[in-house]
Amino acid sequence: MDLYDSRAGISAFLFKKCPPEAVDLAFVLCSPSVSSLQPALALYKAGLTRRILISGGGTAVDG
């Protein structure tokens, strides 16, 4: 197995597309932009979670 095969295997595992399931809490780790919140918001809008917890934050506009 060469490096490319290893990377492809790891990527396939980490980024596997799965249908969303109901969860108690959508946890967003360190959100640098609003677009990174979209998956959690989609779960909320679909009625698949009642709560979203955002940890960390993006860059401050005013420093």
Side-chain angles (χ1 to χ4, degrees):
M1 179 180 287
D2 66 11
L3 183 60
Y4 177 77
D5 290 336
S6 297
R7 285 184 185 170
I10 291 169
S11 292
F13 176 76
L14 291 176
F15 300 107
K16 182 176 180 177
K17 297 286 183 179
C18 298
E21 297 180 18
V23 295
D24 295 325
L25 174 71
F27 188 64
V28 180
L29 296 171
C30 190
S31 177
S33 69
V34 174
S35 64
S36 63
L37 300 173
Q38 294 305 320
L41 292 173
L43 286 173
Y44 181 80
K45 289 178 181 178
L48 296 172
T49 190
R50 293 178 27 207
R51 294 179 180 93
I52 298 173
L53 176 62
I54 302 167
S55 173
T59 56
V61 174
D62 60 1

